[in-house]
Amino acid sequence: MLSEFSGVQGQFHLLCQDRSNLLDTLRQLEAANIEAETSGINDAGYNLMKHEYTNIGRRKYSEWSTTESSDDVEKQELEEASDEEEIHYFDTNEYFSEPTIASSGSVAPQNHMDDNNTNNNKNNDNDNNNNNTDGKENMFECRYPYVERRTKLPDPVEKEKGVSLWSMIKDNIGKDLTRVCLPVFFNEPISSLQKCFEDLEYSHLLDQAYEHGKAGNSLMRILNVAAFAVSGYASSEGRLCKPFNPLLGETYEADYPEKGIRFFSEKVSHHPTLIACHCEGKGWKFWCDTNLKSKFWGRSIQIDPVGTLNLEFDDGEIFQWSKVTTSIYNLILGNIYCDHHGTMHIQGNRQYSCKLKFKEQSILDRNPHQVNGFVEDSTGKKVAQLFGKWDDSMYFVNGDGSINAKDKSESSSLLWKRNKPPPDLTRYNLTSFAITLNELTPGLEEKLPPTDSRLRPDQRHLENGEFDKANVEKLRLETRQRMSRKMQEHGWRPRWFEREGEEGPFHYIGGYWEAREQGKWDGSPNIFGEISEDLVNSVQAS
């Protein structure tokens, strides 16, 4: 017995020793990771990949085709993989824990800055303590009227019943999520059309970009555009529910005079799923058509956006970029979280372009969500560095990034700061801005077309906490949705957007706001109504 006990004791000591060695190795890896993060941006690893800018005048978008295959996406990722591995990320959490950010007036880019820059960053600093989504504290607040909107969702009518996630996962491994029917438990009370507008929460950055360019400050223009491109990811933190998939022909309008913008979107194709949108602001317009290619790996979901986001200012300057990959992890065990990773190229048709790297989160990453990048001129010279976190803030400094981390923290200037979350969070974790997207303000319902997302019954029932009714309506509408592909194959066309050629991008053809003013919605059917026998028979006959 003593010999057996001695043997067990020896094995126990060996296990303890192995555990100690493992912990030492993990500490060394973490130390190396921290050292790399705080060492600043490695110039050798940052060479802007040259892309010939698309000819906007002729509207050639072949490089950014919305029908790009997942193989093309993977090929692009492989081409950039070696470049990404060399990047060292700046730890904003460590160096910006205290409010020591300088005003941008003290670090004005030579030959590019103007007096608006100082005012811009002073207002941005004030916005750090501002919870308003309409950008009241920015330099353009006086131009726009104040509009009162709701600050919370309606109280639920009934108690929500949980759904077994595992039972859903095991039946759908390897399937395209856009074709999987899920109960409303997995949805949030907004549609993908409204989700597109959520990317414009910080549209005041584009207002500022317009003003800087108007004053001849092209560098500050692209810096604000880059901050805007990053800001669209901030609302995804903690958002674990799926937006509603729109019906074919479903639309959404957003008239926000307090932000100086009007937005409109429409689902223009069912297979593949394509959403087109168009937005007009002060001195700029923004448009895109996007598709999502998803891969379900059992424990995680990978989402690859396909399509180009386009921004054009009234003076003719145009910027284009595409979104990075989004992954959702720990679907079975652990805390579910999402991460955005990859390279974003913001291509300009004039002097400047920008490249941003979204760092992929690792197991030992103590400061995730890092974004680093730079702006370079037409000669390839780096003129400014950007760094920050996609869920918090973005900063910039002048030059090629050769200064050390301490000097960078002292001379950096704030470009964008995320708004604070609402006080009464629900399980959807909607931002203050997202809470307003599905609101029917007084007198609005009478002006909307019958295709607007706000009138979708299953989504409205979910927002009101009527979960049983929401599931019944969702099933009914999905039955109608199954007819969409045949309708599209037999001549259906979107009402407000037109496609260039057979595979080109969609562009807004105009007329929506004029029809809204006149209250004439000819050609806009009641897509959320009951399914008539005539409709079923006509689809079956075709």
Side-chain angles (χ1 to χ4, degrees), residues 253 444-450 495-496 511-524:
E253 70 160 59
L444 177 61
E445 186 171 359
E446 292 75 16
K447 300 178 181 179
L448 295 175
R495 176 68 177 83
W496 307 105
Y512 175 83
W513 299 103
E514 293 76 9
R516 183 184 191 270
E517 185 177 351
Q518 300 172 9
K520 295 182 178 180
W521 298 117
D522 300 336
S524 297

Side-chain angles (χ1 to χ4, degrees), residues 134 138 140 143-144 196-214 221 224-225 228-229 231 254 256-264 277-288 309-319 321 433 508 513:
D134 57 5
N138 69 59
F140 307 102
R143 300 182 182 180
Y144 304 133
C196 289
F197 180 55
E198 198 173 354
D199 285 353
L200 287 137
E201 176 176 357
Y202 301 95
S203 61
H204 68 274
L205 293 169
L206 300 183
D207 294 340
Q208 293 170 184
Y210 168 72
E211 294 294 338
H212 285 306
K214 187 178 179 182
R221 169 173 281 188
N224 276 271
V225 170
F228 169 78
S231 71
Y256 276 57
E258 70 271 31
K259 298 174 74 67
I261 58 177
R262 291 197 309 184
F263 171 92
F264 178 74
C277 70
H278 181 89
C279 184
E280 297 174 356
K282 176 64 172 66
W284 54 268
K285 60 181 179 180
F286 172 87
W287 73 95
C288 68
L309 287 73
N310 307 273
L311 173 66
E312 181 177 4
F313 292 98
D314 284 357
D315 57 13
E317 186 166 16
I318 299 174
F319 296 96
W321 67 95
F433 181 64
Y508 177 59
W513 299 103

Side-chain angles (χ1 to χ4, degrees), residues 66 293 395 405 427:
T66 56
K293 292 186 177 295
Y395 302 86
R427 76 175 186 88

Side-chain angles (χ1 to χ4, degrees), residues 167-191:
S167 64
M168 298 296 302
I169 290 175
K170 68 180 182 180
D171 293 332
N172 295 296
I173 294 177
K175 295 182 180 179
D176 184 351
L177 286 184
T178 59
R179 301 186 182 185
V180 173
C181 297
L182 299 173
V184 294
F185 177 82
F186 297 103
N187 288 100
E188 57 184 6
I190 61 174
S191 73

